[in-house]
Structures are given as C-alpha cells and as structure tokens.
Amino acid sequence: NDEEAKINSHNEHIKQTLNDILENDSDSSGIFVNGDIVDGDTPERWANYKSIIAQTVGDTIPMYYTIGNHELRPHTGYASEEEEHSAHIENYIQNTNAEALYYSHKINGQYFIHLGNEMLINGGDTAYLGQEQIKWLENQLNMAEAEGTRAYVFLHQPLANTISSSLPYTGQLPRRSEVAQDADLRVIFDSHPNTIVFTGHGHREFGGIRPGLLGGNDKASYFDDGAIAYLVKDSGE
C-alpha cells in the first residue's frame, strides 16, 4: 500500500546516505542526527532504525543524537502530558544511547552541544528549554569562547528568521516560533560569534531560500540540516 511504499522509500534513503558516508568519509569523527530519527516512538520504528544502522555504519563511526518532535509521538495511552513526555524521553535515550536529554562533548578540542525539548507543547512541535538548561548552555558557550574554540550547537527546531523553514515568506502559512525561548536564545547565541547552530525540523532541501545564515565575526551562524528520509521545498511541496 501507499504507506508501506513511503516507509520503504524513507528507509532506502537512510541506507543510501549512510553508505555514502562510509564510501566517502569513513574516517569521519562522527555522524550527527539532529532529531526526527524515527517517525514515531514505537518499538517497531526503533528496531527498524537500529537494523538500518547495523546494516550500514554499525559501530565504525560514532553517532550523536539530538531529540526531535517525531520522537515525541504518538500521543495516546498516558495519564498526563508530563508522563507521556517522560516516557518518550526515556525511550529516546535508551534507543540512541544519548548521554541525557541535553548534553555536550568534545571532539578534537571543539565543543559539541546537544539541546533537548523539556515540555510537550503543540504536540512536541515547539521546543521548550528550561532555565537550568539555558544556564548550562551559556556556561558551555562561555567555556568554548574562553578556550578559543568553536561551539557547535544542535537543536531540532529553528529560531525564527534564521534558516529557510523559519522564514515568514516561504509559501506556507505564517510560521509561529518553533522555540518557546526563541528571543532569549538568539541573544545568547549571537553574543558568541564562535558558535554555529544547526537546526532542522522543516525537512528542507539545501536549494531553499536560506540554507544558512552567516554571522561573520559579530554573531553566531545558523545552518539547516540536510533532511534524508524526505525533502520539502520552499513552496511546501
């Protein structure tokens, strides 16, 4: 049926991408998956994803994860949103071996910072970062700046007016902010020009209106992730 054909197509795209990495960059320091790892938090979807990893890169290249909104679905069978969110987070960590909902690590002296959605807002579409996480983020960015190194930040949802899917004129309905603390994070990031922020969520193709926003020496830079399973054009197609 159509649904099965779509899933098979998505899986094939993931396999092709990982095999491309093996062929062209097998000594890469890491593969970074910035959310929407599976299209729904079910045992079957996670087992399928891990099977694809086993068939391709296996443990030859380290893989690092950030949570997206698709890992926070489906929305059934829970007594409360808090219980539901906690269950999805637990499954995400268990299936990806992520250190925590948000965490950081270093590769070749560079900071890699993974942020996480702490609350189920708009079904998980809108990311919420609590004050403790934001203070932790500021501390990480300050340490990177003090050490004269870059900070690579991964957050699934984009800040407003940065990458293609966060712009108000991309042929879709006007976009609401995808991050509850949008304004606060923009100030924090842009005060650290050594920072590069990677976001996705819109599944946009690289040929979109704005796949990247360069900050130069004064502000942070923002880049759209490359979607794998399926792509969305600026028109919404």
Side-chain angles (χ1 to χ4, degrees), residues 23 49 64 96 98 101 112 121 145 147 154 165 172 179:
E23 180 179 349
Y49 173 74
Y64 303 95
T96 63
L101 178 59
F112 290 78
I121 302 175
E145 191 169 50
E147 294 173 22
F154 297 86
S165 62
Q172 297 182 348
V179 184

Coordinates of all heavy atoms in Angstrom, one line a residue, residues 23 49 64 96 98 101 112 121 145 147 154 165 172 179:
E23 N 31.4 5.4 2.2 CA 32.3 5.3 0.9 C 33.2 6.6 0.8 O 34.3 6.5 0.4 CB 31.3 5.3 -0.3 CG 32.1 5.2 -1.6 CD 31.2 5.1 -2.8 OE1 30.0 4.9 -2.6 OE2 31.7 5.3 -3.9
Y49 N 15.0 1.2 12.7 CA 16.1 2.2 12.5 C 17.5 1.5 12.9 O 18.5 1.6 12.2 CB 15.9 3.4 13.4 CG 17.1 4.4 13.4 CD1 17.4 5.1 12.3 CD2 17.9 4.4 14.5 CE1 18.5 6.0 12.3 CE2 19.0 5.3 14.5 CZ 19.3 6.0 13.4 OH 20.4 6.9 13.4
Y64 N 25.9 10.6 17.1 CA 25.5 11.5 18.2 C 24.1 12.0 17.9 O 23.8 12.4 16.7 CB 26.5 12.7 18.4 CG 27.9 12.2 18.6 CD1 28.8 12.1 17.6 CD2 28.3 12.0 20.0 CE1 30.1 11.7 17.9 CE2 29.6 11.6 20.2 CZ 30.5 11.4 19.2 OH 31.8 11.0 19.4
T96 N 19.0 5.4 21.6 CA 20.1 6.1 20.9 C 21.4 6.1 21.8 O 22.5 6.5 21.3 CB 19.8 7.6 20.7 OG1 19.5 8.3 21.9 CG2 18.5 7.7 19.8
A98 N 22.0 8.2 23.9 CA 22.4 9.6 24.2 C 22.7 9.7 25.7 O 22.1 9.0 26.5 CB 21.2 10.6 23.8
L101 N 19.0 14.1 28.0 CA 18.1 14.9 27.1 C 18.9 16.0 26.5 O 18.8 16.3 25.3 CB 16.9 15.4 27.8 CG 16.0 16.3 27.0 CD1 15.4 15.6 25.8 CD2 14.9 16.9 27.9
F112 N 30.7 20.3 21.3 CA 29.5 19.8 20.6 C 28.4 19.8 21.6 O 28.5 19.0 22.6 CB 29.7 18.5 19.9 CG 30.7 18.6 18.7 CD1 32.0 18.7 18.9 CD2 30.1 18.6 17.4 CE1 32.9 18.7 17.8 CE2 31.0 18.7 16.3 CZ 32.4 18.8 16.5
I121 N 4.7 20.8 24.1 CA 3.9 21.9 23.7 C 3.6 21.7 22.2 O 4.5 21.4 21.4 CB 4.7 23.3 23.9 CG1 5.1 23.4 25.3 CG2 3.9 24.4 23.4 CD1 5.9 24.6 25.6
E145 N 34.3 29.8 24.3 CA 34.9 31.1 24.0 C 36.2 31.4 24.7 O 37.2 31.8 24.1 CB 33.9 32.2 24.3 CG 34.3 33.5 23.7 CD 33.1 34.5 23.8 OE1 32.5 34.7 24.9 OE2 32.8 35.1 22.7
E147 N 38.3 29.2 25.8 CA 39.3 28.3 25.3 C 39.7 28.6 23.8 O 40.5 27.9 23.3 CB 38.8 26.9 25.4 CG 38.7 26.4 26.9 CD 38.1 25.0 27.0 OE1 38.1 24.2 26.0 OE2 37.5 24.7 28.1
F154 N 23.4 21.8 18.5 CA 22.4 21.1 17.8 C 21.0 21.3 18.5 O 20.9 20.9 19.7 CB 22.7 19.6 17.7 CG 24.0 19.4 16.9 CD1 25.2 19.5 17.5 CD2 24.0 19.2 15.5 CE1 26.4 19.3 16.8 CE2 25.2 19.0 14.8 CZ 26.4 19.0 15.5
S165 N 13.1 27.2 6.6 CA 11.8 26.9 7.2 C 11.3 27.8 8.3 O 10.2 27.7 8.7 CB 11.8 25.4 7.7 OG 12.7 25.3 8.7
Q172 N 4.3 29.0 2.7 CA 3.4 28.3 3.7 C 2.7 29.3 4.5 O 2.9 30.6 4.3 CB 4.2 27.4 4.6 CG 4.9 26.2 3.8 CD 5.7 25.3 4.7 OE1 5.9 25.6 5.9 NE2 6.1 24.2 4.2
V179 N 10.5 27.7 18.9 CA 11.2 27.5 20.2 C 10.6 28.5 21.2 O 10.6 29.7 20.9 CB 12.7 27.8 20.1 CG1 13.4 27.5 21.4 CG2 13.3 26.9 18.9

